[in-house]
Amino acid sequence: MLIDTHSHLFEEEFDADRHEVVERAERAGVERIVLPAIERSSNERLFEMCREYPHLAVPLMGLHPTSINENPDWREELHEVERWLTTPPAGVERFYGVGEIGLDLYWSRDFLSEQEEALRAQLDMALRFNLPVAIHTREAWSEMIGVVSDYRTRGLRGVFHAFAGDLDTYRTLREMGDFKFGVGGVVTYKKSGVAEVVREIPLEDILLETDSPYLTPVPYRGKRNESSYVSLVCAEVARIKGVEPDVVAAQTTLNAKQLFGLK
Ligand SMILES: [Zn+2]
C-alpha cells in the first residue's frame, strides 16, 4: 500500500475526470491521499473532495506562500485558516495538519517579510493544535533554516514537501525537529540532483508524494500529474536505494501514518 502525502486533486484540473483519477490511484495501491490547502478560493473544492471520498482524503488547512504575494487579504485568510482548524466545515471530520505553508521566493522576493510572518503564525498554530506541518520551500532554503531554527526546541514536526535541498540542508533541518522529507516526481529528473540526495537520506525520513497536478514523474513528464503515479516515485526510490519497491512502500507508508496520525 502507498500514501500520496501531497496532492491537489481538488483543483479544477481534475473536474472532468476526478472519479477516474481516484479509481486509478486506488488500483495502484494508494490507500490515503493527503490534500494540502492552498488558499480561500480553493478551500470549498478541498472540502467537497473530503465529503466525496472520506475514506481516502486526509485534508490539511493552511495558506500557501505564493497566495500571500499581492494579496491584500492575506491576514484575513490567515484568520480563516485558524477558524477552520478550530471548527472544521460541515462534513469534514478534522484537519490532519497545517499546510501548505512555507516560503517561495521564485516569483518575487518582494513579499519575504509577509511570507515569513504568515509562516511563523502557521507554525505557531501547528504547535497550538498539536498538528504536523507541510512546508513548501522554493529558492528560500537559507531563509527557511533561519525560521525553523527559532522553533528548534519547541517540538515542531512535519514534512518538507518536494524536498530539493542539498544534503547539508537535510542534515541541518533534520536536527531541528521531527521532520520528514517529501520525495516526488523530481527524483526521476536526471539533472535535478535529487536522486543523489535521496540516496543518502534514510528511508525512515522519507515520504512519497506526487504534488499533483504538478511535477509529473518520467515517463509522463510534461503531462498532468495524478496520485496513481506515486507508484513510479516509489519504484525510482527503490532503484536508487537498491531495495524492492515493497520495502519502500511499507516504510514510507508507516512514516506517513505516524506523522499524520492515520490508522
Ligand atoms: Zn502543493
Side-chain angles (χ1 to χ4, degrees), residues 6 8 36 38 64 100 161 211:
H6 197 108
H8 302 289
I38 301 288
H64 194 288
E100 164 170 11
H161 121 79
D211 203 16

Side-chain angles (χ1 to χ4, degrees), residues 6-8 10 36-38 64 100 136 161-162 209-215:
H6 197 108
S7 176
H8 302 289
F10 54 89
I38 301 288
H64 194 288
E100 164 170 11
H136 167 110
H161 121 79
E209 61 169 65
T210 59
D211 203 16
S212 308
Y214 315 107
L215 303 178

Side-chain angles (χ1 to χ4, degrees), residues 2-261:
L2 292 161
I3 295 181
D4 182 357
T5 62
H6 197 108
S7 176
H8 302 289
L9 288 190
F10 54 89
E11 293 282 27
E12 35 194 31
E13 280 88 341
F14 298 100
D15 278 358
D17 62 346
R18 186 170 292 107
H19 199 67
E20 287 83 348
V21 168
V22 166
E23 279 184 347
R24 278 197 293 275
E26 291 187 306
R27 273 202 301 276
V30 177
E31 56 177 325
R32 305 300 294 268
I33 301 176
V34 179
L35 302 170
I38 301 288
E39 59 182 21
R40 176 156 62 193
S41 69
S42 57
N43 279 345
E44 191 47 50
R45 318 170 68 83
L46 165 64
F47 304 156
E48 199 44 48
M49 190 170 167
C50 296
R51 293 178 192 118
E52 189 135 356
Y53 306 100
H55 59 291
L56 203 66
V58 179
L60 312 184
M61 179 43 60
L63 180 61
H64 194 288
T66 57
S67 299
I68 290 160
N69 297 5
E70 284 160 36
N71 175 3
D73 298 329
W74 70 269
R75 281 198 179 82
E76 168 53 28
E77 291 207 33
L78 212 51
H79 288 304
E80 202 165 293
V81 166
E82 188 158 20
R83 285 200 293 277
W84 286 131
L85 288 170
T86 308
T87 312
V92 177
E93 202 184 330
R94 55 168 291 207
F95 292 100
Y96 291 79
V98 177
E100 164 170 11
I101 64 178
L103 299 174
D104 189 322
L105 302 179
Y106 174 78
W107 306 98
S108 165
R109 295 190 66 92
D110 295 347
F111 303 94
L112 173 60
S113 69
E114 289 89 344
Q115 287 190 9
E116 207 177 302
E117 184 184 330
L119 172 60
R120 288 177 189 274
Q122 294 181 99
L123 293 175
D124 292 339
M125 283 182 213
L127 292 175
R128 211 153 58 241
F129 288 89
N130 190 25
L131 290 170
V133 291
I135 298 179
H136 167 110
T137 314
R138 195 169 184 193
E139 310 253 316
W141 287 109
S142 62
E143 292 84 354
M144 180 59 69
I145 288 169
V147 172
V148 173
S149 66
D150 290 344
Y151 288 80
R152 187 189 284 267
T153 57
R154 298 179 58 192
L156 200 60
R157 62 204 168 88
V159 53
F160 288 95
H161 121 79
F163 184 68
D166 60 19
L167 208 51
D168 279 347
T169 303
Y170 157 72
R171 291 189 180 119
T172 303
L173 292 169
R174 184 63 187 84
E175 67 172 32
M176 289 181 182
D178 186 8
F179 294 120
K180 307 293 177 195
F181 295 80
V183 176
V186 179
V187 75
T188 67
Y189 304 171
K190 287 221 159 56
K191 287 180 192 151
S192 70
V194 169
E196 288 70 21
V197 176
V198 165
R199 184 175 294 125
E200 305 301 324
I201 300 180
L203 269 182
E204 287 71 19
D205 286 354
I206 290 176
L207 300 185
L208 303 182
E209 61 169 65
T210 59
D211 203 16
S212 308
Y214 315 107
L215 303 178
T216 313
V218 172
Y220 303 112
R221 190 174 182 182
K223 303 202 175 80
R224 182 188 70 174
N225 201 359
E226 61 173 67
S227 285
S228 65
Y229 298 164
V230 76
S231 60
L232 299 172
V233 177
C234 179
E236 181 63 11
V237 171
R239 192 192 64 76
I240 291 165
K241 297 225 168 259
V243 298
E244 289 300 313
D246 283 357
V247 174
V248 174
Q251 184 62 54
T252 57
T253 296
L254 180 68
N255 298 344
K257 286 183 172 177
Q258 283 175 346
L259 181 65
F260 292 108

